[in-house]
Every structure is written in structure tokens, then in C-alpha cells.
Amino acid sequence: MAQQEDESGRGPLSEQELQDLVTATDTGARDPAGPSAYVIAGVALLWSLFQIYVASPLPYTLANWTGLQLVFNSTQIRSIHLAFGVFLAFLAYPAFARSPRDRIPIIDWVLALLAAFCALYLFIFYRDLSQRPGLPITQDLVFAGLGLVLLLEASRRALGPPLAIVAIIFLGYVFFGSATILPDVIRWGGASFARAMDHMWLTTNGVFGVAVGVSASFVFLFVLFGSMLDKAGAGNFFIKLAFALLGHLRGGPAKAAVLSSMMTGLISGSSIANVVTTGTFTIPLMKRVGFTREKAGAVEVAASVNGQIMPPVMGAAAFLMVEYVGIPYSQVVQHAVLPAVITYISLLYIVHLEAVKKDMPALSRRSTGSPFMGLVRGGIVFLSFVLVMIGIYWLVQFIRMALPALSLEVLVLLLLAAYVGMIWYAARTPDLELDDPNAPLIELPKAGEVVKTGLHFLLPLFLLVWMLLVEHRSPGLSAFYAVLLLIVIMVTQKPLKAFFRQVSQPEVIASVREGGRDLIEGLILGARNMIGIACATAAAGIIVGTVTLTGIGQVMAQFVEFISGGNIFLILVFTAIISLILGMGLPTTANYIVVSSLMAPVIVELGAANGYLIPLIAAHLFVFYFGLMADVTPPVGLASFAAAAVSGGDPLRTGAQSFFYEMRTALLPFVFVFNTDLLLIDVSWVEGIFIFIKATIAMLLFAAATQGFFMVRSRLWESLALLLVTFMLLRPGFFLDFVQPPYEQIAPQQIFQTVENEPEGAGIRINISGPSFDNPDQTIERTMAFALGPAGESPEARFEEASGLTVVQQGDLVALEEPLDLNSLAGRTLAEMDFYADRPVQITAVEVAAERMPPEVFYLPALLILGLVVFAQRRRGGTLAGNPKPAVA
């Protein structure tokens, strides 16, 4: 076994210390006894019940039965949601490191009640506020100002000072934006206290904006779903299943860590909880087979953090994208799934290369036959799963056709029958117990035996995905039905197992009580996990409110365009840097809200203003991917600190190694911005399969290049060659542009004929030239891109609607009138041009996509270069799998 490279002497934390780390970050470090504990638990339980109530059809049913107004609108729900969050933040999180953990000081009770009242102010005085919009009275301003201060303190306690500091800076800009010490480019008129408080607190433009709305409508239920599923035992099931499938391979514990963290990431929005939950078992085993402390922790960090990019949950970003981008949730999943799967496959490969480089042994397991037969069995299982899914789909359609009036009842009965059958099947096998990773002998279980014990855990996930992607129901309603099924499972799984195992009556009664206790604890845990998210989304609303109030977003666009010179690649680099800087202190969700509000529109706008059409979803995913580094990037990557606490390694070195492993995650956003096929935009399913295969191969080669190891240790030229092959596979169009121009230039006089002939959604570019507003003798040139909409009454109207520009033809001259909307893309792009000078602003050329050979022709030289590397490394004795080493106990 390889020796540890680092012996820092730092010992791993105990299990209790690790749980304290998670609770301090996710649920609150305070654990009082007596009545205070019951208050925190009771309020958290009430919060969960309230969120389930407002997500269900029950309010409408009760309103119809009773005639009472029991339905809350979105503003009222946001107000109540934030009131719960800030109240629990002051009770569950101590103010300072020296503040008591075992009791709640009187001042915190006062602050909690006051903060809750300020948040509830919109709910209590909703009717009064609606009757005087934009005209706040003194009482409104007092509680709005107090509410902002208390929200900043609540977010400081729950999330640390960075988010509160950023919010305070933006608030300072609101009030003092006219100060002479500020550069002219960002100076604005400033706002009065009344205007700022009205915008930030008394309307839905600031704190109670889209982010809190998404937190209240969608995120809470998904966080609750994950907490309850983990409490039911799914987390342990995923870990054991991952080890059963991959633990026997080279570097098996690390590969199992990747798989289990991915499965846990499906239901978890917390990187830190993911690290500690799976890492306490996987990291010691990784160290046992030869991973250093830092590398073992880094593998767990990379796997856990990437859980947030894996649909269907994606932390909270997926639901925020639904609102920000304005597309259905199913499309968000469609666009996000391929990069997420590819990044996990490439991480598995990185782990494999580490194991081969160090010649690590595998863990032993009970014999299951030859590897070939294992592959055959895996293929049969996968094919059976696909056939079962197809069968379920057509069974549902048949029931709906045959029994339209009773289809819902029949489907519910069939679902419950399937659940009972799975519990009966699980009862025939002993319950899973997580092994001690430090035990002298670890024998990996068989996958079939593990699956038997937890098939019923897949039912809520199946129902959630079915409702979202097949039924196309809203995320909130889909999560409600999944949580409802989970409630049934948590209450009944243990009593049903006891019944099927024919145990004594007292044991059955005890299992009923245990199931009820699990349900209550799951509801409480879900609410406590939401405290930080509720505060983060509300505090981030201050930044969003500042952007909408001051117009700083337009200034950011001008600033980024100035320092980048209009180069779209540099624009993306600067956006990534901003995300990384903010990511050093903000949680992922808050980072995404802030940077997407500032930079996602800038990416799209500057791309269009410089001739590139970048889909809005690509810009938002770009921002989100770099926001993920919040939990990785040294010196304050919280997930890296958590992993180091488990492994006993150095936190900074663990973070640096994690960032090195995450280079592939940082590469993908640049790729899918320029090659939107990776996001499955306008591609068929056959094309999607091909894109997945070639992109996966490319990312595996990138991993090999960055690791300096492919079949054997790579030489420098071989690593560079693999990077070149990666680029040729992912961006073949870049090389084709040197051979054939990507655009065909058309005379400006034929612009309307061109617009008329192009199909809907086609991209078109126009080159514009005109005199400078500051110096009429100077000529400014711009290239503007836009997508054509459906064919209208005339090509002139179609062009004007798509571009925001009006054309005036004067013989051979195609001039432009000044855009009517100066805040539109056209208005901002051409703001520096003088439309009233002697020389007109005119279109000098029209460009459309040229007909040329397919870019895939460059795959041939890419494969030739790859073959050369393979030949060179095989001559040095390399194999793709590495020479196997005997398993160890």
C-alpha cells in the first residue's frame, strides 16, 4: 500500500464533532434544553406543516367547504416563509463564538420576535399596503428599516459575514451612489430612505422578490423531501449500494464515494452535509487503499459539490432558473443533465487514474463470477429497468383511457400496492447497517442483496421525476406528492416490516412509535435545513433590488465590455472570476442569485452586441457552475474544511486539490456557451446520444491530460496532444472557421429579402457603422446579432421586432433610425453613435450562417493524434485499465 504523502499530525474529528460541524452550518449550532428546545422544534415543525399545506390542494378544498379565506397569495406566503426563517435563525444560531449554545439569551428572543413581526408586516398589513402603493407611512418605514437590519444580522449568523457585507455594500450604493468619491461611470442620483425601504421591503422588488418566492414555493419542499428521505434510511442505502457496485474496483472506495455522493446529491442541497454523510465512511477507506488525506478529502469534496449540478434538485438553482429564464422545469433538467452526468463520469476516471498511478489495491468482496458475467448481468438489469419504465408508462395511459373517472384512485392503489410489495420483499432481508470503515476487515456486500432492502426508497424519487417530466406538473405540486408518499413510507415501513417478519405485538407497537418519531424528526430537520436558504435568498434580494433600482446592471455591462474589448471569451473569463471571488464567501444559492442578476444578462447582451447569440439558459448555467466553487475554493471553501475535518488533512491543501479535480467542471461552462449542443438545445435524441458519447470521451481525455497519466505517465507533448484532441472534439467548429468562413456576407440592400427567406429562430448578424456621438469625424463599428421570430405580415416588421431597429433605404444606402427604446439591446449597443450627424448610421453588411462542410470532419485528425499518443504509450507498456493488484481486506 502506498504510504501517506502527508503526515501533518492532524487527527480526524470524532463523529460527534462532525455532526456538530454539520449542524453549525446547516441547522444551527445551538442545542438548548428544556422549553427552548421544544419551541425551536415546534416552530420548525409548524413551518414544515405550513409549507406542505400551501403546496397542497387543501386550501382550495377547505375554502370551498367552509367559505373562509384560507388561500394565501404569493406575497403572503413569502412573508410568512421569511418570518419562520428569521425567527429560527436568531434562536438556532448564536450571535458570536462565545455565545451560549445550551440556552437562548433574552436578547435573542426579543430579536427573533421582532424580526418575525417585521417579516410578517406584509402579511398583517397586506390590504393597507395595497391601497397606498409607493406611498409608505412612517410606520411602514420604521418596520422596513428595522426588518432590513435584522435580516442582515440573521444572515450573518446563519451564513457568516460575507453575504451580509456584500448586501451592506449594495445598500450603501443605493443611498450614497451620488457621492463624488465614486467614479463617474457608476455614479447615480441616489435614493431617499423612503424610496429605498419601499423598494426593498414593502414591495416584491427586493427582499420579497423572486428568490424568496422560489424558496417558499419550491425549494422548501425539495429540501424537506431530501431530509425526510435521508431520515427514512435512503442515505445509508445509497452508500451501501455504491460500495456494492464499485467498491471492488481499483480505487473502489473513491469510486464508491463519487457514486454515493452523486445519488445523495440527487436529494440533498447541502455540499457540507453530503461530505460528512458519505465521507465518514468513504474517506477512511480511501486512505486505507493508498489515497493521501488531502486527496481522499478532495475526491469527496468534488463528488459532493457536483451533487448540486445533478438534476432533479440542483440545490435551489433549478427552481430559480425556472423563474429567471422563463422556461419550464423539464427544460431546465433537459439542459442541465448532460454536463452533470459527464462531469461525474470524468471524476470516476480521475479516481481510476489516481488508483493506477499509485498501484492501489482493491477491497475484497464475495465472489460473484467473472467480470464478463458481471457486465452481462448489469446489461440485463439496465434493459429490464428500461422495459419496466416503458411498461409503466403504457399501463398508466391504458388505465386513463379505460377508467377515466377512476384513474386517479386506481393509480394510487397500484402505487400503494407496489410499496407494500417492496416492503414485503425487503422484510425477507436484514436491514442495512453501515459498516465501520476502520474495522480490520471490510467485506463488500452484493448489489442484489442491497437493492432488496431499499427498493421502496426509489418510489418517491420515481414519483417526483414522473410528475415533473412526464406529467409536467409544477415543481411545488410534484414535490408535495413526493413528500406525501414519503410521509406514508416513514410512518409505515417499520411497522409493515415488523408485521411481515411476524415479530411480537410489543415490537410492532414500538415500530409504530419509531415510525412516527422518524416522521416528526424528518419534518423538523427539513425546516432547520431551510433556515440558511431562507435567509440567503432574502438577503440576496437586497442585491437584486439594488440592481433594479439603480440600473447598476447596465453599468456592469459597459464596464465588462470596456475591460474585455468586446471579446466574448474575456467576458466569460471576467464573469467566472467575479463568481469565484463572490464564491469564496457566499453559499451557492446566494452566489447564483447575485451573480446571475448582475452578469447573466451581461453575457447575453454583450454576446449579441458583438455578434454571438448565447442562450439565456447557457449564461445562467455558466454562472451557476462557477458559483459551485463557493464550497471548494480556498481559503474559505466550507466543503473542503469539512472533508479535512473527516480525513485529518490540511484544509487548504484539500481545497487546492479539490479545485484541481474540479478543473473539468470549470471547463464545461466555457464549452456549452460556445457549443450549445451539450445543453441539448434543438437536437434530436439520436444526436443527443452522439453528443453524449463524444463529449464524454473528450472529458476523459481532458482528465487524463490534467492528471499527467493516460495508459502510463504522460510526457509533456502527450498531455498537450490530449488537450488538443479534447478541444477538437468539443469545438470542431473553431478549426472549421479557419478553413471556411462561418458566415455568408450579403449586401445590405438585400436585407429584407434575406429576412423573408430565413426560417424561424435563425440567427442573423448585421454590421453597423456610424459617426461617434463625441466626435462626429470618428467612425464606430458594431456587429449585432439576433434571432428572427416567426414570419410576420412583412419582412420589415419581422426585422424590426427581432432587432428593435427601423431601416430607412435611401437608394443604395441602408440607414438606421435611432432606436425608440434606449434601454433595449439595440439602444445600448448603438448608444455611442450619433444618429443626427451629417453622416448616417448605416448597415454595411448582413451576415447569415454559411453552408459549409460539417465540422465533424476534424474528428479524423483528432483520432489520428489520439492514436499517436496511444501508440507511444503502448510502446512504453501502457494499458487502459492498468495492471490489476490483488484485493485487500
Side-chain angles (χ1 to χ4, degrees), residues 101 105 110 119 201 222 229 307 326 385 471 491 562 703 725 770 780 830 860:
R101 265 58 171 173
V110 174
W201 196 267
F222 278 85
L229 194 58
F385 175 78
E471 301 292 335
V491 171
F562 172 75
V725 173
I780 297 177
L830 308 180
L860 181 59

Side-chain angles (χ1 to χ4, degrees), residues 275-560:
V275 166
V276 173
T277 300
T278 59
T280 50
F281 186 68
T282 60
I283 289 176
L285 287 177
M286 281 190 267
K287 291 163 61 179
R288 176 181 295 191
V289 298
F291 282 88
T292 66
R293 295 173 176 179
E294 284 72 25
K295 287 188 175 181
V299 168
E300 183 59 52
V301 169
S304 297
V305 169
N306 283 354
Q308 294 190 70
I309 66 175
M310 177 62 70
V313 178
M314 294 174 62
F319 316 111
L320 289 162
M321 286 180 196
V322 170
E323 300 295 325
Y324 288 157
V325 183
I327 60 176
Y329 177 82
S330 57
Q331 287 189 25
V332 174
V333 172
Q334 172 188 325
H335 298 322
V337 66
L338 198 59
V341 172
I342 290 173
T343 194
Y344 267 108
I345 292 175
S346 58
L347 182 57
L348 282 170
Y349 186 59
I350 287 174
V351 167
H352 175 74
L353 292 178
E354 290 281 13
V356 174
K357 282 193 293 185
K358 296 294 185 182
D359 196 23
M360 296 179 186
L363 295 176
S364 63
R365 72 168 182 176
R366 286 170 284 177
S367 176
T368 56
S370 66
F372 174 76
M373 291 306 299
L375 290 175
V376 171
R377 284 194 297 270
I380 293 174
V381 170
F382 177 76
L383 182 61
S384 301
F385 175 78
V386 172
L387 293 175
V388 168
M389 292 299 102
I390 295 174
I392 290 174
Y393 175 82
W394 287 111
L395 175 63
V396 172
Q397 301 305 318
F398 173 76
I399 291 174
R400 285 178 172 168
M401 291 174 58
L403 301 168
L406 297 173
S407 60
L408 178 60
E409 290 80 1
V410 172
L411 291 174
V412 170
L413 288 175
L414 286 176
L415 181 65
L416 293 177
Y419 163 64
V420 174
M422 291 176 179
I423 290 292
W424 170 80
Y425 191 56
R428 302 170 60 187
T429 306
D431 292 335
L432 292 177
E433 292 184 6
L434 194 61
D435 296 327
D436 180 6
N438 298 307
L441 178 65
I442 293 291
E443 186 173 315
L444 299 175
K446 292 183 178 179
E449 295 178 357
V450 176
V451 169
K452 290 178 184 178
T453 66
L455 272 177
H456 58 288
F457 293 135
L458 303 180
L459 276 179
L461 282 171
F462 168 78
L463 179 62
L464 177 64
V465 174
W466 180 277
M467 295 291 291
L468 286 169
L469 303 183
V470 179
E471 301 292 335
H472 297 291
R473 300 295 180 91
S474 70
L477 191 61
S478 302
F480 164 73
Y481 285 121
V483 167
L484 199 62
L485 178 58
L486 256 180
I487 291 174
V488 173
I489 290 175
M490 295 185 73
V491 171
T492 62
Q493 64 170 341
K494 291 181 178 178
L496 284 175
K497 282 183 180 180
F499 173 77
F500 288 130
R501 288 168 178 166
Q502 298 181 346
V503 299
S504 63
Q505 184 176 358
E507 290 180 288
V508 173
I509 295 174
S511 65
V512 171
R513 293 173 179 168
E514 190 175 351
R517 185 166 58 250
D518 287 344
L519 173 61
I520 299 298
E521 290 177 357
L523 292 170
I524 294 172
L525 181 62
R528 294 194 65 164
N529 283 333
M530 270 300 300
I531 298 172
I533 297 176
C535 294
T537 52
I542 298 174
I543 291 95
V544 177
T546 302
V547 173
T548 57
L549 180 62
T550 65
I552 186 65
Q554 297 179 23
V555 176
M556 287 293 296
Q558 296 172 6
F559 176 71
V560 172

